[in-house]
């Protein structure tokens, strides 16, 4: 693989790595937010575990490209995150989807099939979480007792 696409893949992976690190902090804040319903906090906790797995394979991919990169792009785990709500989680999922979509062409070009499979699975997961979150935010369905305009 040429140095240019390899460098861009490294940058995209580093971006995804930092985003997933931030995602862990956001999800931890959601889990700890007593204003959210228990089912939302439980799903945030499950997604926190899924995000930790994604962070691990992104870190391994960074190390495979260039040893020391994952350490270089590590952030301080103690950074404070303000209390998070559902719109924050929706925004996070959209950013993650964008990051994984940006990675895919470079992964294919690099011939890193295992990384591509992981990325594709993560993309599917992010989309399903986003779909679930958007369904939570949608207003309730129209009541069946609502009067319909007459023709």
């Amino acid at each position: 693989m040429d140095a240019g696409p390899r460098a861009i893949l490294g940058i995209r992976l580093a971006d995804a790595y930092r985003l997933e690190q931030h995602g862990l902090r956001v999800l931890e804040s959601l889990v700890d937010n007593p204003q959210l319903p228990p089912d939302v906090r439980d799903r945030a906790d499950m997604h926190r575990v899924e995000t930790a797995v994604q962070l691990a394979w992104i870190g391994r991919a960074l190390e495979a490209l260039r040893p020391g990169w994952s350490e270089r792009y590590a952030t301080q785990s103690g950074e404070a995150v303000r209390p998070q709500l559902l719109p924050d989680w929706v925004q996070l999922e959209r950013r993650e989807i964008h990051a994984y979509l940006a990675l895919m062409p470079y992964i294919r070009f690099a011939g890193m099939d295992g990384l591509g499979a992981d990325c594709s699975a993560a993309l599917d997961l992010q989309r399903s979480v986003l779909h679930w979150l958007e369904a939570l935010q949608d207003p309730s369905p129209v009541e069946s007792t609502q009067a319909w305009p007459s023709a």
Side-chain angles (χ1 to χ4, degrees), residues 43-110:
R43 184 61 183 104
D45 192 38
M46 182 170 44
H47 195 52
R48 182 187 54 79
V49 172
E50 295 162 341
T51 299
V53 170
Q54 292 168 349
L55 184 62
W57 61 255
I58 292 169
R60 285 190 304 274
L62 274 170
E63 287 298 315
L65 276 176
R66 179 180 247 167
W69 275 30
S70 62
E71 290 175 14
R72 179 179 174 190
Y73 292 105
T75 59
Q76 298 295 326
S77 61
E79 291 178 22
V81 174
R82 67 175 172 73
Q84 302 291 295
L85 300 171
L86 286 180
D88 302 309
W89 193 0
V90 168
Q91 181 183 15
L92 172 66
E93 294 306 318
R94 288 182 178 148
R95 288 178 64 202
E96 288 175 328
I97 289 168
H98 177 75
Y100 285 115
L101 287 172
L103 267 173
M104 294 302 284
Y106 298 99
I107 292 170
R108 284 188 206 104
F109 188 76

Side-chain angles (χ1 to χ4, degrees), residues 3-149:
R6 184 179 176 91
I8 293 171
L9 175 59
I11 291 167
R12 298 280 190 214
L13 280 169
D15 288 345
Y17 192 80
R18 285 189 300 263
L19 181 57
E20 293 296 9
Q21 286 177 320
H22 174 72
L24 283 177
R25 292 188 303 277
V26 168
L27 291 165
E28 288 166 359
S29 176
L30 288 161
V31 169
D32 294 337
N33 188 342
Q35 295 177 330
L36 296 174
D39 62 325
V40 172
R41 288 182 294 166
D42 289 346
R43 184 61 183 104
D45 192 38
M46 182 170 44
H47 195 52
R48 182 187 54 79
V49 172
E50 295 162 341
T51 299
V53 170
Q54 292 168 349
L55 184 62
W57 61 255
I58 292 169
R60 285 190 304 274
L62 274 170
E63 287 298 315
L65 276 176
R66 179 180 247 167
W69 275 30
S70 62
E71 290 175 14
R72 179 179 174 190
Y73 292 105
T75 59
Q76 298 295 326
S77 61
E79 291 178 22
V81 174
R82 67 175 172 73
Q84 302 291 295
L85 300 171
L86 286 180
D88 302 309
W89 193 0
V90 168
Q91 181 183 15
L92 172 66
E93 294 306 318
R94 288 182 178 148
R95 288 178 64 202
E96 288 175 328
I97 289 168
H98 177 75
Y100 285 115
L101 287 172
L103 267 173
M104 294 302 284
Y106 298 99
I107 292 170
R108 284 188 206 104
F109 188 76
M112 300 173 80
D113 296 335
L115 179 59
D118 287 341
C119 189
S120 182
L123 191 53
D124 289 344
L125 175 64
Q126 306 309 50
R127 287 175 173 154
S128 72
V129 170
L130 180 60
H131 179 73
W132 181 77
L133 287 168
E134 288 174 336
L136 286 177
Q137 290 187 317
D138 282 345
S140 60
V142 177
E143 295 289 328
S144 59
T145 58
Q146 180 179 359
W148 291 95

